[in-house]
Amino acid sequence: MKRRLALKTIAISAAALMSLSACGANSGSTDASDQATLDPANPVTITVGASPRPHAQILEFINEKLAPEAGLKIDIKEFDDYNLPNIALQDGSLDANFYQHLPYLESQSAEKGYNFEHGAGVHVEPYAAFSEKYQDISEVPEGGKIAITNDPANQTRALKLLEANGLLENVPDDASVLALTEEQNPKKLTFSENQPELLVNDLKDPTVDLAIINGNYILDAGLSTKDAVAVESLTDNKYANFLVWRAGESTPAIAKLEELLHTPEVKKFIEDTWPAGDVSPAF
């Protein structure tokens, strides 16, 4: 079962998230935490928050093809916003979430005090830069305007992509647009920070020379990395997305889902669904 939680709906009040708890893993179905074993004849429901693409798509495949024989049923709740799945996991509305990578999780945990654990990497959605003006990233002029995420963890990632393509130099691991020096930004690029889900709209802005977009929003917009002017390398990529749950609260259902996420069937599904490499297996 899948339910789409639109940003404007779930951000109205804390009561909205509290109501999710009442209809999540602890209502009506067998609670995953009460099960010592999993039985296909009496499947356990696990409630997982995910970005619509590709995370929910991967979970839907597991729910249909692999979960029944494993004694598992996944109640998928889709989130359009990066902050809300961790909030919902923290308050117990979710058993787990599947949408983030380690730098983002570490940044959010340091800022908001989350105490979560995570599984192994499942896939990487390479970051990519798009332009409505140029066919090659080297054409971006001095003083060019770059649309970039305001999320600190992914902003560094975007700046590293610009460095890898010769637009910036010596970008540190904790880089931000506000901290760039003249030496690091020799082309005097200017930056327009925005919510990650809005960067696709910025791509249409005639004043923007380049927009650097998160992988799941590339998919949401119907874009492909094959049309990008720069794509993040997958070699030694530290941005693999994984399953996350509250520390000390792993259950047989969570352990089973973690196992299913790393099966050959899921790897083949990812490769077949995104043959251009917009999503790539990390195992």
Side-chain angles (χ1 to χ4, degrees):
M1 180 170 58
K2 176 182 71 174
R3 280 171 281 176
R4 183 66 175 267
L5 301 182
L7 173 59
K8 64 182 180 181
T9 301
I10 56 179
I12 293 174
S13 68
L17 282 175
M18 292 299 291
S19 68
L20 293 176
S21 182
C23 61
N26 297 322
S27 66
S29 59
T30 305
D31 189 336
S33 64
D34 293 335
Q35 297 298 301
T37 59
L38 300 177
D39 178 8
N42 184 28
V44 170
T45 296
I46 179 173
T47 306
V48 184
S51 295
R53 298 179 183 85
H55 308 80
Q57 291 171 275
I58 295 171
L59 293 176
E60 288 165 7
F61 169 79
I62 293 174
N63 218 14
E64 179 181 350
K65 301 295 186 181
L66 305 177
E69 290 187 8
L72 198 65
K73 181 187 291 184
I74 310 170
D75 181 9
I76 306 166
K77 296 179 180 177
E78 295 186 4
F79 291 84
D80 296 313
D81 174 86
Y82 279 168
N83 293 301
L84 293 169
N86 278 338
I87 294 173
L89 181 59
Q90 176 79 351
D91 73 15
S93 302
L94 302 174
D95 297 310
N97 65 44
F98 176 43
Y99 78 106
Q100 61 191 312
H101 52 62
L102 184 59
Y104 182 81
L105 175 60
E106 290 179 335
S107 173
Q108 288 290 292
S109 297
E111 178 183 345
K112 299 179 180 178
Y114 295 139
N115 185 21
F116 297 155
E117 295 175 352
H118 66 84
V122 177
H123 71 270
V124 175
E125 305 150 44
Y127 235 42
F130 293 83
S131 178
E132 293 281 297
K133 296 181 179 181
Y134 308 111
Q135 297 297 312
D136 193 283
I137 196 169
S138 64
E139 299 173 19
V140 174
E142 183 169 334
K145 184 177 180 180
I146 312 297
I148 194 169
T149 180
N150 60 4
D151 162 38
N154 281 310
Q155 189 171 106
T156 297
R157 185 181 185 186
L159 295 174
K160 288 284 189 179
L161 178 61
L162 294 177
E163 178 189 28
N165 286 275
L167 271 64
L168 297 175
E169 297 179 2
N170 302 317
V171 174
D173 290 339
D174 59 350
S176 69
V177 296
L178 295 178
L180 287 175
T181 65
E182 291 183 4
E183 290 75 16
Q184 292 164 344
N185 185 14
K187 292 179 69 73
K188 299 179 175 59
L189 300 175
T190 60
F191 294 91
S192 173
E193 299 181 72
N194 208 341
Q195 294 288 101
E197 65 271 18
L198 299 178
L199 291 169
V200 171
N201 296 335
D202 289 342
L203 180 61
K204 307 295 184 181
D205 185 337
T207 70
V208 169
D209 294 290
L210 197 72
I212 307 175
I213 304 174
N214 300 58
N216 59 302
Y217 294 123
I218 292 172
L219 299 176
D220 282 347
L223 299 172
S224 174
T225 54
K226 65 183 176 60
D227 300 317
V229 296
V231 181
E232 181 180 63
S233 172
L234 295 176
T235 303
D236 298 324
N237 193 298
K238 64 180 181 180
Y239 296 102
N241 287 206
F242 43 49
L243 190 68
V244 176
W245 57 91
R246 289 180 296 278
E249 297 188 27
S250 179
T251 64
I254 289 174
K256 177 57 67 173
L257 179 55
E258 170 68 6
E259 176 187 329
L260 295 179
L261 281 165
H262 296 89
T263 55
E265 292 89 344
V266 167
K267 184 175 184 179
K268 185 177 187 302
F269 172 76
I270 293 171
E271 293 172 337
D272 290 349
T273 306
W274 296 283
D278 296 317
V279 184
S280 294
F283 62 97

